[in-house]
């Protein structure tokens, strides 16, 4: 039975409110740093995402799941709502978090197995939004170009004036980001609101690991294969180690490998199953990055792995030996 997950959130009983508080605290550094980089519009989009995620989830829990009282309000929906907002650029219209919240609620309540979601809610939202609105979801502007928090849609001329290429888009032709690794590590680069500040993301996931809400081995199992493959197959325009750091810090790799793979309802519960899923995720992200350049493919790949995770869990689940099985049968007969 050693193969069963030792992730602490499997064995400790924790209330929903404790989980929400821990995730909210973990996301706080990302939110604060993103507001510093992009202004008050980040707060407005986040508030809309949280409110609508909880609000749209209420009728589902009240009328479909037949919950009553305060049980109708699942505040974890708000956490998924803000995580979905973090996968967007600050330039999106104010209606965008409403759409993403609806997608979060759909994925959150879409289950094939008892207690097992088919898709990670905020990853599902990010994947669908990127497929449905590719131009809107890749309209990046430089940091410190603050836009009004109350403009429903940002003026096109103003947005074009501040528009820049993100590190991931810059690496589409095999080049490395010209402003360097530290610009990506500390968030002084263009990109989605919650993905740019890698240092802030790592602070959040370390806190979640301390609170037994995250498993750092899962994060390592995603990033390490990408590191090895980047060193083995570098770009011709850069040193292998510099290329490896740049590719790991660009796009949503760190965001997905921290918050994405630590959503417990969509990952295998076995240690080996979770590690296999994470290693596959890292290898596939690198392969698609190499093949398709600056396209953010991590969300779709993780969704595909979410769909097959019950089967990975089934294969990696420990089985009783024949002797133990016979003893169990005899004890049942008695």
């Amino acid at each position: 039975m050693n193969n069963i997950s030792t992730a602490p959130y499997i064995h400790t009983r924790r209330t929903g409110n404790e989980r929400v508080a821990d995730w909210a605290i973990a996301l706080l550094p990302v939110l604060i740093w993103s507001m510093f980089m992009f202004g008050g519009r980040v707060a407005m989009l986040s508030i809309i995402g949280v409110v609508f995620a909880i609000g749209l989830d209420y009728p589902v829990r009240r009328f479909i799941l037949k919950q009553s009282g305060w049980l109708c309000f699942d505040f974890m929906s708000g956490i998924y709502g803000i995580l979905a907002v973090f996968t967007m650029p600050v330039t999106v219209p104010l209606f965008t978090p409403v759409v993403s919240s609806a997608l979060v609620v759909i994925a959150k309540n879409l289950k094939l197995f008892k207690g097992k979601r088919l898709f990670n809610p905020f990853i599902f939202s990010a994947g669908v939004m990127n497929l449905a609105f590719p131009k809107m979801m890749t309209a990046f502007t430089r940091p410190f170009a603050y836009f009004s928090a109350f403009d429903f849609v940002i003026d096109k001329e103003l947005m074009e004036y501040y528009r820049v290429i993100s590190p991931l888009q810059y690496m589409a032709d095999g080049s490395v980001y010209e402003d360097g690794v530290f610009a990506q590590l500390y968030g002084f680069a263009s990109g989605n609101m919650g993905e740019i500040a890698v240092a802030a993301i790592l602070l959040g996931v370390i806190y979640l690991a301390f609170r037994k809400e995250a498993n750092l081995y899962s994060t390592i199992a995603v990033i390490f294969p990408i590191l090895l493959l980047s060193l083995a197959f570098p770009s011709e325009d850069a040193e292998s180690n510099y290329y490896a750091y740049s590719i790991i810090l660009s796009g949503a790799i760190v965001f997905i490998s921290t918050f994405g793979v630590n959503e417990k309802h969509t990952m295998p519960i076995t240690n080996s199953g979770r590690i296999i899923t994470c290693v596959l995720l890292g290898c596939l992200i690198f392969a698609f990055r190499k093949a398709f350049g600056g396209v953010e493919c991590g969300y779709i790949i993780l969704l595909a792995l979410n769909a097959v995770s019950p089967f990975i869990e089934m294969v990696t689940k420990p089985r009783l030996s024949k002797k133990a099985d016979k003893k169990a049968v005899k004890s049942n007969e008695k």
Side-chain angles (χ1 to χ4, degrees):
M1 298 294 288
N2 292 334
N3 196 37
I4 290 293
S5 172
T6 56
Y9 53 67
I10 299 297
H11 296 289
T12 57
R13 291 185 177 181
R14 310 195 64 208
T15 66
N17 289 336
E18 286 178 319
R19 294 196 65 235
V20 171
D22 285 339
W23 277 82
I25 292 170
L27 296 180
L28 202 56
V30 184
L31 177 64
I32 292 172
W33 192 256
S34 187
M35 288 175 61
F36 171 66
M37 300 302 295
F38 296 116
R41 191 173 181 86
V42 174
M44 177 60 73
L45 291 166
S46 300
I47 290 169
I48 294 172
V50 170
V51 170
F52 274 88
I54 296 173
L56 293 174
D57 192 48
Y58 175 86
V60 175
R61 296 176 66 83
R62 176 68 178 86
F63 300 109
I64 298 177
L65 301 180
K66 304 299 182 182
Q67 302 282 358
S68 59
W70 280 102
L71 292 176
C72 294
F73 294 96
D74 184 2
F75 296 102
M76 198 64 193
S77 300
I79 298 297
Y80 295 139
I82 195 171
L83 282 165
V85 169
F86 283 171
T87 65
M88 306 172 188
V90 73
T91 56
V92 296
L94 293 185
F95 73 82
T96 314
V98 180
V99 179
S100 69
S101 296
L103 293 169
V104 161
V105 172
I106 291 171
K108 179 176 172 290
N109 294 286
L110 190 61
K111 299 178 182 179
L112 289 182
F113 304 94
K114 188 176 181 180
K116 201 78 173 173
R117 294 191 181 112
L118 182 58
F119 298 119
N120 182 313
F122 64 91
I123 298 295
F124 178 77
S125 169
V128 173
M129 293 295 287
N130 275 277
L131 289 175
F133 309 103
K135 290 185 178 180
M136 183 178 73
M137 296 292 286
T138 54
F140 303 116
T141 53
R142 64 175 177 81
F144 305 113
Y146 298 146
F147 300 102
S148 171
F150 303 101
D151 286 348
F152 190 75
V153 179
I154 297 174
D155 181 75
K156 288 184 178 180
E157 292 185 3
L158 183 63
M159 190 165 63
E160 286 300 322
Y161 179 78
Y162 290 109
R163 190 161 182 170
V164 292
I165 298 174
S166 73
L168 179 59
Q169 292 170 329
Y170 192 86
M171 295 180 70
D173 61 354
S175 302
V176 294
Y177 187 55
E178 59 183 1
D179 288 343
V181 170
F182 285 100
Q184 295 172 269
L185 182 63
Y186 296 111
F188 295 101
S190 59
N192 291 325
M193 289 179 282
E195 298 171 357
I196 55 162
V198 173
I201 294 172
L202 293 177
L203 280 177
V205 78
I206 289 170
Y207 173 79
L208 286 178
F210 173 75
R211 294 291 296 165
K212 306 189 187 318
E213 277 290 314
N215 189 316
L216 292 180
Y217 291 112
S218 300
T219 300
I220 294 169
V222 178
I223 293 178
F224 192 63
I226 298 175
L227 176 63
L228 291 181
L229 290 169
S230 301
L231 293 172
F233 304 99
S235 167
E236 295 180 359
D237 297 337
E239 296 179 8
S240 58
N241 59 335
Y242 191 65
Y243 174 73
Y245 302 147
S246 296
I247 198 168
I248 288 171
L249 297 176
S250 65
I253 287 178
V254 175
F255 185 83
I256 291 171
S257 64
T258 51
F259 300 128
V261 301
N262 281 303
E263 205 289 308
K264 66 177 182 178
H265 296 290
T266 52
M267 295 290 286
I269 64 169
T270 59
N271 280 330
S272 56
R274 189 171 59 251
I275 296 300
I276 288 170
T277 303
C278 291
V279 170
L280 281 173
L281 176 62
C283 293
L284 289 172
I285 286 177
F286 179 81
F288 274 76
R289 285 275 185 96
K290 271 291 188 179
F292 302 106
V295 178
E296 183 52 78
C297 50
Y299 299 123
I300 303 300
I301 294 171
L302 183 53
L303 290 177
L305 291 172
N306 284 165
V308 300
S309 69
F311 303 101
I312 296 175
E313 182 179 309
M314 191 183 305
V315 171
T316 57
K317 208 168 187 179
R319 291 177 175 82
L320 292 173
S321 65
K322 290 183 178 180
K323 289 183 179 180
D325 196 30
K326 287 179 180 179
K327 287 182 180 179
V329 171
K330 287 181 179 179
S331 63
N332 288 334
E333 288 176 352
K334 291 178 181 180

